[in-house]
Amino acid sequence: MAPFTLAHLSDPHLPPLPKPRLIELAGKRALGYVNWTRNRHKYQRREVLDALVADIQAQAPDHIAVTGDLVNLALEAEFAPALAWLESVGPPDRVTAIPGNHDAYVGATQHRFGETFLHYIAADTPDIATFPGVRRRGPLALISLSTAVPTLPLMATGTLGRDQLASLEQVLERLAAEDVFRVLLVHHPLKSAARQKRMTDATALLAVLRRHGVELILHGHDHIHSTMWFEGPNGNIPAIGVPSASALAHGRYPAAAYNLFRIEKDNAGWRCEQTVRSLGAGFQIQQIKHARLI
């Protein structure tokens, strides 16, 4: 069997931000809008995102995973452009998307991600946007989770909830009997030093993974390169984070990047190699890392 290539990008925070209506600038959105106009618009750039996506497409991966934060303030006017962008990345059978905290920024529009990106979220059977969802692509089982919940101003936490965790346990129990490479897609990292940005029930998720395991975890949210290892039933599990897909380098945050994973059978187990490609000078995308994870 030929190797399967999975591309991973996250947090495109699709620029530019549409002009909000005055009625939309209340509570948390007001602070987010001030942050965008004073700071974020300077380094979240559409030309960066376009360069990254063009390079991904040139690599011709078998599938692309987008781990959340497609929009910024979850304004009604943001969702149609975000869908048009996602369609330019690839069709629903070649691209899987999950929501991030910015996609559920406020309660009034938290349902819009599921409605707008239904065909990029939906599990193979049935064709509805529920979490966890499982999509089978080649030797992979892509397991989608949602930590996207509205939060108070100045908070960016995520939560899975008891029902999603219980369903995940059932999903992993079913997949355990199959010869499949399990990839868990989640927006928030499973460990965070920032209380206001953490996954609130990460401990419960880690307990599920210790019992049942997956081969690979992909996340975004922190806007940095990250490799963490978590205990599984048959060894440690790599969890890989990636910078924002539209970002210029600024402060402690690196320039936009994405990951390519080359996955294939290796005797009785699996082999997984990671290549990191990042924005360089002149908006050129270049390889900055190659490593074997498994």
Side-chain angles (χ1 to χ4, degrees):
M1 181 182 294
F4 189 95
T5 305
L6 174 67
H8 170 223
L9 71 154
S10 196
D11 298 73
H13 289 285
L14 192 70
L17 181 71
K19 186 174 179 59
R21 296 175 296 156
L22 186 60
I23 195 172
E24 293 178 302
L25 292 181
K28 184 170 183 173
R29 274 198 185 131
L31 293 174
Y33 183 66
V34 169
N35 187 27
W36 176 269
T37 55
R38 289 185 178 178
N39 300 302
R40 295 187 68 155
H41 80 280
K42 299 175 184 176
Y43 52 80
Q44 304 283 178
R45 303 283 290 275
R46 180 58 186 259
E47 60 266 37
V48 171
L49 181 59
D50 289 346
L52 204 73
V53 170
D55 192 76
I56 292 174
Q57 292 171 336
Q59 303 301 315
D62 296 295
H63 200 77
I64 301 171
V66 184
T67 51
D69 281 0
L70 276 69
V71 302
N72 295 285
L73 306 182
L75 302 168
E76 283 287 352
E78 288 187 90
F79 288 96
L83 177 59
W85 171 77
L86 194 59
E87 289 171 340
S88 76
V89 175
D93 64 326
R94 300 290 298 273
V95 180
T96 297
I98 63 168
N101 55 296
H102 281 261
D103 302 312
Y105 205 68
V106 295
T109 53
Q110 70 177 112
H111 63 288
R112 294 289 285 119
F113 189 94
E115 293 176 350
T116 304
F117 307 108
L118 169 65
H119 300 299
Y120 288 89
I121 303 169
D124 292 328
T125 306
D127 188 26
I128 55 175
T130 58
F131 298 99
V134 179
R135 302 181 114 192
R136 299 295 297 266
R137 299 294 184 268
L140 273 59
L142 297 161
I143 307 161
S144 298
L145 298 180
S146 174
T147 54
V149 293
T151 59
L152 294 173
L154 304 179
M155 297 297 288
T157 53
T159 301
L160 291 167
R162 184 177 302 175
D163 290 346
Q164 195 173 171
L165 284 162
S167 295
L168 175 63
E169 189 135 26
Q170 295 172 2
V171 165
L172 294 178
E173 286 175 352
R174 291 197 302 269
L175 291 174
E178 302 183 39
D179 187 18
V180 63
F181 189 94
R182 300 160 297 175
V183 182
L184 191 70
L185 306 178
V186 61
H187 179 69
H188 287 76
L190 279 64
K191 182 179 180 181
S192 177
R195 180 172 177 80
Q196 73 275 16
K197 297 184 67 174
R198 75 195 192 285
M199 186 195 306
T200 61
D201 46 5
T203 298
L205 175 57
L206 290 170
V208 171
L209 294 176
R210 280 195 298 272
R211 290 192 292 272
H212 301 287
V214 294
E215 279 63 55
L216 180 63
I217 302 164
L218 302 180
H219 69 85
H221 190 56
D222 283 344
H223 296 196
I224 59 173
H225 297 284
S226 174
T227 300
M228 294 183 281
W229 297 84
F230 297 101
E231 182 184 355
N234 301 306
N236 288 335
I237 304 165
I240 309 298
V242 69
S244 165
S246 63
L248 294 171
H250 59 285
R252 70 180 185 89
Y253 296 102
Y258 71 93
N259 290 311
L260 279 173
F261 299 96
R262 187 177 186 270
I263 298 159
E264 61 183 323
K265 287 293 294 182
D266 186 15
N267 297 319
W270 294 97
R271 181 184 182 96
C272 177
E273 297 178 356
Q274 175 196 14
T275 298
V276 184
R277 294 183 63 81
S278 177
L279 183 75
F283 289 90
Q284 297 299 306
I285 309 300
Q286 58 193 10
Q287 179 175 320
I288 63 171
K289 178 182 176 181
H290 182 83
R292 179 171 177 177
L293 295 173
I294 300 172

